[in-house]
Structure formats: C-alpha cells, structure tokens
Amino acid sequence: MLRSFLFAEGLLALDWQGRPWARLATSVPEWEDEGLTLRVHLRPDAQFHDGTPVSASAVVKILKQKIAKSQTSGFEAVKSLDTAKDGSVVFRLSRPDGFLISTLATALIIDEDKPNVGTGPFRLVPGKENLEAVRNTSYYRGAPEIERVEVKPYTTARATWVGLLRNEVDMALEISKDSVEFLEGAARFRKIKSIQPFYIPLVFNLRNPILARTEVRRAISDAINRDEIVSQGMRNRGQVAVDPIWPFHWAYNNGAPHHTPDPLGARERLDAAGLPVRPATPGRRASRFQLKCLFYNVDPQFERIGLLLQRQLAAVGIDLILEGANEKQLVARLGAGDFDSYLFQLTSGRDVSYAYRFWHSPEGALGQVMQNTGYNGADAVLDRLRQAHEEPDIRVAVGDLRQRFYEDVPAVFLAWPEVTRAVDSRFDIGNPSDPEIFANLWRWHLASSQTASR
Amino acid sequence: MKRITGRFVLLIATAAVLPLLLYGSVSVSKLTDGTEQSVTRGNQAVAQQIAAQIKLYFDNSHRVLASIAGDLRGTQLEQWQKEEILRNHVLDFPEFREISVFDAANRVTASSRVGISTLKIPSAVETGNGTAVAYYVAPPYIDADALPTTTMAVPLVDTSDERGWIIAEISLEELWRTVDRIKVGTRGYALLLDEDGNLVAHGNPDEKTLIALREAAASEERTLADDARKSQVPLAAKFTNPHTGEELLAVGAPIDNPRWAVIVEQPTEDAFRLSRQLQVQLFAAIGLALLGTVILGWVWGRSFIQRIFALTRVTRAIADGRMDERVALSGQDEIRQLGDAFNSMADRLVELQEEIRKQERQAMFGRIAAGLVHDLSHPIQNIGNSCKLIQKMFEDAEYRETFKRTVERELVIIKRVLDDLRNIARPIPLERFPVDLNKTVADAAEAMEQHAETAGLTLRTELSPETVYIEGDVFALGRVYRNLILNAIQATAPGGLIVIASEAHSDRVQVRIYDTGCGIPPERLGQIFEDFVTTKRRGLGLGLAISKKIVEQLGGTISVASEVGKGTTFVLDFPRTSARPMLVAG
C-alpha cells in the first residue's frame, strides 16, 4: 500500500467508495464493444523517475510483463494489448471482465528491468534496509514538500505506538486498539480513525466433512456474538462484519440479510444436523465436535478474539482448539490445507474484485485465486459479478453475492477493525476527503512555524 | 494642595480607604495562605485516596487471582478446565494480560496463553522473599514492546501442601486507564512511581512519552515519593516542571503493596485559581470602594466648593463693575448665610455708589456753576457797568468808542468761556498746516515771559537744533503751551524754574514743559486731564482737558509725571511731517 502511495502508480486508482479515478491516465476509460474493448489515454506530463515519459509503448511493455507472469491475476481476459495511433493503450478482451478496471488500479506501472524506477511523488532510495524514498521534484501533480520518507517496521501495533511515543517516527500506520485512548488529549499527535478495507473472518475449511455441511456453518455463525467480539476483543474499535464486501462500496446495500447471535438456534441446528453433545473424555471437554483454529499469534488481538470465540462456541457445544502461528506458518498451513479453520485478517480492497479472488473456487476461476478452503458456493454469482461492467448489473450482482454469503456461509465474517493512524501534529495533512490519509502524503507539509528533521 | 476639593478627597480617602486597604491586604494575605493550605490538604487527601485506589486495584487483582487459586486448589480439574478458568478470567478481567499457574518446581502447569507462557516467577518470590505477603508485585520490567510491565504473584497451596504460584501479567494499559481517570481540578493528574523512582504511569497525556523513553521521574518527584514512603503520610511540595517550566503543586502518597508511590500534580495556576480569583475579586472590591469613596468625596467637595466658587464669581463680577450681579446659594448653612450677607453688602454698595455719584455730580455742577459765575460775572458786570454809563454819556463820542471796545472785549471773554464749554463736548475745530514746532514753542514762551517774571520765576526754552515740522494749528498749539506754562507758573514758588524744551526723534518730536513747582499728588495724576477737575479754587477746570483734546486731535499724546515737592513735567508727543509750510509772498 505504501509503495502505491509513495513510489509507484497505476493507470487508475480507486476512491473510498471503490470508484475509479484517473492517475496516470487522463480519464477513467469507458467500455467499448459491449465490454470487450477498453481504451486508456495517458497523461502527457507523467514521467518515470529516470525522466523517461510514461508513453503508451512503455505502459504496454510493462503490462505485458505482468501478463506474462504466471502469478498475475486480473489480465486473464485480455486478448491483446496495443498502442493506438493517438497514443492510447487499447485492451481487447476475449470476454467481458469488469475487474480489469480495478486491476488497472492495482497494477503498478514499474518496469521489471528497472524495478526502482516508478512514477510516484517519491523516488526509492535503493540499497536501504528499510523502505526509504526521497521526493520527486518532477512529479506531475506537484512536487511534495516532504523531502524524505522512511518506513520503519515494527512487529506489533503496540510497538508502533511506543515508537511514536519515543519520537522514533513521525507517524504510525496503526496504533494498537488498547492504546488509542492514551493519545486523547495529547497535543503532539493527531489521530485519524477509520475503518480500513480489511476484515477479520473465521474461515472454514470445507474439506472438513463437518464443516462441509452448510447447516453446521450456519449454526456456528449463529452461535457467535459479533458485537461481543468487537466490544471485548477489539475494545469497540471496529464494526461488525456481515460479509466480505467493502461496506463503503458504492454498490453496497444496507438491506442485505445478516446473522444475529442465536445460541439457542445454533444448538437446535446442530441437534438437527445430528451432532449431539458427546460426554467429556479425559483431556477433552464435552462437545459435539472439535474444531481446530489457527490464529495469527503475533498480534495479541487474534488470541483474544480466539478465546472469545472459544467461549462462545463452547456454549453451543463446539470445542474450538486454538493454535497460534506466525505469518509464515499460517501461509504454509493454509496452502497445504492443513487447518479446520483459521482466524486472520483479510483484505477486501475497495472494490469487489477481492471478493472474487478470495471466495471463488480455484476451479473455473479466471486467474489466480487465493482461497484454498474448498468453497465454491458463490462461484456463479462471482462470475456474473466479474463479467458485469454496467452499474446496474454490478449492483444486482453485489446484492446477490451478499445473499449468497448469508445462505452458504464460507466463513464467519466477524468484524471490520477500526484503524487508528497517528501523525505528529507538526504536520499539516489538510482535510483529506479520503480517510486513507497516506494517499495524500505527497501533499503534506509542515504546519507554519514548525521544523522537522530527523 | 491648594484646592479644597483635593483636600476634601484626601481627607475622605485617608479616613475611609486606608483602613479598608489595610484590612484588605491582611485579608488577601490570609486568604491566599489559607486557600493554598486548603488546596494542598485537599490534594493530599486526593493523593491518599488515589493511593488507596491503586492499592485496591492490586487488592482486587489479588482477590481475583486468589479466587482462581481457590478454584484450582485441591481440585482434580483437567488441563483444559484449568486453562478455561484462566482464559475466562483474562477475558473478563482486562487488568490481566496473561495468567499462568506455576508448580513448586517453577514449571507452568496451566496458562491462559495459547502456546507457551511468557511469564516467569519473580526472582524475589523465587528466593522466598516475597512469601510473607498475600501477593507480590514484581518490579516493573520492560516488555517486548519496550513498555514497562509488571507481574503479580499469588501463592498457591494445594491440599498436598505443595506450593505453587499464580502469576499474572498486569495490563499496563488498564493501569494507565485507572491513573488517567484521576483528574484534579481542570489540569491536575496523577503519576505512579515504582520503588526505584521509575515512572510506571503518567496521567498527563503529553508526558506519557517519558515512560516510553524510559526517562526517570524528576528528582523532585522521586524525592517526594521517597519521603512519602518513609513517613507513610502524604507530603506536599512545589517545584517547576522541567519539561514545561510550569510551577506544580505536587503531593506524594505511599502505596504499601506494591511499594510504589502516587504523585498528584496540579499546576499551581489551576490549583490556586480559586484563591487567585478571590484575590482578584477582593482587590477589585477594594478598588471599587476606593473609587466610590473618591468619587463621593469629590462630589461632596464639589457641591460644597461650588457655592464658594459662585460667591467668588459674583465678587469678581462686582469688582469688574457689574453691580447688578447677585449670588444665589442653596442650603441653610453658614455658606448660605455668607451668600445672603454678600448680597446685602452688594445692595448697600450700589446705594453708596449712587450716593457718591450724586454727590460728585452735585460737586461738579457746583464747581461748574462757580467757575461760570467766576468767569462770566466779571465780564457781565463790566458790560453792565458800561451799559449804565452809556446811558449817561451817550453824547460822549469817545465814551461810545470806549463802551464798544469794552463790550466787545468782555463779549470775547464770555464767548471764550462758552466756547470752552462747548468744545469739551465736541471736537475742537482746528486747522492743520505744517508748522515749525520750535517757532510755536518760542512764540508761546515769549508771550508768557513777562508773566513768569512777574511771578519771580525763570522761564527758559531749550529747543532742538533741528528744525522740526508737524501738522498743527498754530493758535491751538499756542493755547496749549500757554495753558501748561500758566499752570507751571501757578504751581511754582518764586525763585523756581520753568523750562520748555523740544526734542526731535526720527519720526516724532517731543515738547517737554517742566517746572520745579509743588508737584501733583499721585492720586490726582490719573484724573488731571479729566473735565472739570481742578486744584484751583476758581475755574471750570477745563484747561488741561482742552489741551489734551487739542494734542490728540493733532495726532499726538500728552502725559504727565510729577513728584510732590520736586516738580511736574508735561510731555507732548507729536508725529513729524515731511511737509513744509507754504511761503506767503510779501
């Protein structure tokens, strides 16, 4: 995310509601030929950091590099990619693919042969241990006032907060939820709170024969009190999630159905599913079945949420066995399918393409998808969503997808965490319309009469 | 101070305000001290309450852990059951981040953590130093996120008398919340120091960074904490915040377990705000009282003095001649009586003035009448006698001639007297031609020489060597000189001297007539040129008045200087003319 804000850009970008806006392009392109052609005109004043112009040929070359990569998703429907005489870049598709627009927002225009050369407001300083960038005085939207940006990684959000207190950094990407209130009244910091496009689900592995049953998953969803997760597990710093669709997306409709806590109903469902509570055995509680849950143990928030889930599910007779794992272990286990469920944070993105990538089954998917849970209950709707390129069609498809996630639960979508970013009040970040303040980092400047150097 | 108003104001201010100021100063001083002491005592009580609150925080945590110990003691709970108990407590009691159970061999037997417990038995507990108390709070240490944290250890004795420990990691954030909730006044806060004087919690949001930076508490804070721990009572001190430069009122109170200290700090500007407000109000009240007293004194003074001013004003008016002015004073006091007496005096003055005028008029008329009788009786008698004789000697041609001359001569004298009377009231008809001043003077001196010689006096002329011309009437000028010389002769005793001199200047010429006569008293000099004023027993007293009129009509001035017993000098000052007399042929 920081790379896209600082160093490199796509042809387009997405606003807070998931609508595209032009970045290296002059305008958001319109679909032609009933969604099979897309023509993108490029800004004439944009340059790479090495001074070369962002020409159509350069863009085509870079995009073809991405297309050639087997790991790339988003361009699968692109049949051809050419430059036109008017200097535009023309995409011709084999079939309609509405996600191409969001792909153009996420695909950063960086030549593989020159990986440190971007187009953004800051230039990468190569050879540094941490991400470091200096301002690009030739940036087409105006040279930033900030001369240098250095990104310092911390292991936890709590450690980030401490780094801010210790004056080691000027801004923090995320303050631990436990610590947000301690910034109240501190004149030195400005806090910006917002829901970010990440959600916390309890994802099921449908290869588990018990979890393969829809009624079981629905019962688990009914047993979980999401409000308690948010209040006790996240100190009320978040909002309940209904599904993985970005709640601020322009096509999001608040009228979709959602699960409400119903432990009694959950027990009844489980009883009806033929899963009675079995007596306790040595070393094991009385339960209907055991469910292993991997959780990301580097962030203590997930352990706490896991314990809450454990208690809530124990109340309906499900024994949730928690197992901590770091990111590497988690990815390895998920990739190997070695899990019953996992508790982690997934990105929704500001558009709906991520829903496709996470929740479409690998079979028949257009491009690389990320989930390996065996879920295919939303494939048809996801395919329809992908092909839609007119607004009314997209709205209908989003509504149908949300209905699908309600009926055929692939995961218990728990919460959208509230992220608190903190910036030293020496910086004037203006009044950003985008709650993602770092999107306008290149516009920040020191408040009058302040100096800052590190 | 010359003005009564000022004296009045000063009197009232001194009598009324000085005591007020004294009283006020003492009151303010006492109030300030009393309020500051009261605030300090109040903050001490607050610090004590906070210390009790922190102690209660740990006591409650101990109670929770003790209840866990009770739940676990002597029970045959399964591992998962023990873990469930611990995890439920971590979920339900946010002051704990982790709770783990250690056996006598210091091995973790159960933990709320999923995975390996991060806790250790505090070394003091391990060596047995911490077993004497119900619970032990370890000295804060820095955790993986570089923040101070601490653990609490509660002994666990099961039925087999095996010892163990329940160790809980205290949530620093929860402790901070407890401390942050403590507000004193509008800007006061509390901070926690451990036994070594290190900051554990700080209620000032701008100074939490000190904890992150592991900066030591200010030396004054450490000293206060140490002293409070030693004396076991809350102590107070004032010092300057080294980070903000603000003066603080700090109160330290000890906590006995853990052996920490609570410091309550409040900027003195906030702590003593009420006292300072009262101070300001008191000063304002005193100021208002002073102002009010001064205004009142000024108003009273003015109303008192106004009447005197009125009296003064009318007195001056009367002195200026406005005899009809009277003073109208209000009130019934002595000033009013003075005003009434003044008015009576003014009325009487007017009456007297009127009487004097009447008398002067009568005297003047008497003099005029006497002068007229004197000047006219002789010629009228001569004419009468001549008329009687002509009846008898009408046939005598010579006598008829004598009669004609006598009548004509006496009529001239009568005419002159009447002319003088007439001229004093209107401009004298004069002819103005360039005349040689020295000649007019010489002619007049020659005409009066015989008269002076007869009186036994020396009449001398001292004329300017320069010929000087003025626009003048020879006859009128002659009359003026003869009048002045005649007056000098009449005023000078035989053997005296009379000098008539002329002196030329650039554009003017002076004629000086001085004598060594008896002089004129100073009180009469001012009136000497007035009509009908004379020192002689007879005559109208118009001579000098007419002389003055003639001189002034010729564009000149006349003045007199005299010294009784020495003599008198009259000075005539005329403007010179560049014109020359026309020569008459023949």
Side-chain angles (χ1 to χ4, degrees), chain B residues 25-59:
Chain B
S25 302
V26 170
S27 298
V28 165
S29 169
K30 291 289 180 199
L31 175 70
T32 304
D33 290 342
T35 310
E36 290 191 4
Q37 283 172 20
S38 172
V39 168
T40 303
R41 277 199 295 275
N43 281 10
Q44 283 173 320
V46 167
Q48 218 160 13
Q49 283 173 14
I50 294 168
Q53 215 172 325
I54 301 295
K55 174 94 172 33
L56 190 63
Y57 178 89
F58 286 102
D59 284 348

Side-chain angles (χ1 to χ4, degrees), chain B residues 480-521:
Chain B
V480 170
Y481 300 146
R482 285 195 299 277
N483 187 34
L484 293 176
I485 294 171
L486 185 61
N487 285 343
I489 292 171
Q490 289 170 353
T492 307
L497 175 66
I498 298 170
V499 176
I500 178 165
S502 68
E503 188 179 325
H505 298 283
S506 57
D507 59 344
R508 300 193 78 79
V509 59
Q510 286 179 342
V511 177
R512 206 181 299 272
I513 299 113
Y514 65 87
D515 62 56
T516 57
C518 58
I520 305 169

Side-chain angles (χ1 to χ4, degrees), chain A residues 390-436:
Chain A
E390 299 291 336
E391 273 199 17
D393 298 333
I394 295 172
R395 279 187 202 277
V396 169
V398 167
D400 291 344
L401 181 63
R402 298 186 69 206
Q403 180 70 32
R404 197 75 200 111
F405 284 139
Y406 171 75
E407 290 164 353
D408 191 355
V409 183
V412 179
F413 302 101
L414 297 172
W416 297 88
E418 179 186 86
V419 171
T420 300
R421 308 210 196 281
V423 181
D424 193 310
S425 56
R426 290 176 300 147
F427 293 91
D428 184 350
I429 64 172
N431 284 320
S433 56
D434 192 328
E436 179 45 77

Side-chain angles (χ1 to χ4, degrees), chain B residues 522-534:
Chain B
E523 60 273 14
R524 299 189 73 134
L525 273 180
Q527 302 155 0
I528 203 165
F529 291 108
E530 287 180 13
D531 311 336
F532 309 113
V533 171
T534 178

Side-chain angles (χ1 to χ4, degrees), chain A residues 190 192 428-440 443-444:
Chain A
R190 181 176 170 174
I192 302 94
D428 184 350
I429 64 172
N431 284 320
S433 56
D434 192 328
E436 179 45 77
I437 58 169
F438 290 117
N440 279 317
R443 280 202 177 121
W444 294 10

Side-chain angles (χ1 to χ4, degrees), chain A residues 14-15 47 62 64 119 131 157 168 211 224 279 322 342 363-364 388 419:
Chain A
L14 296 177
D15 67 11
Q47 305 181 354
I62 289 167
K64 282 183 174 173
T119 59
L131 175 66
E168 291 171 356
L211 296 175
I224 290 173
L322 294 170
Y342 70 85
E363 296 79 25
V419 171

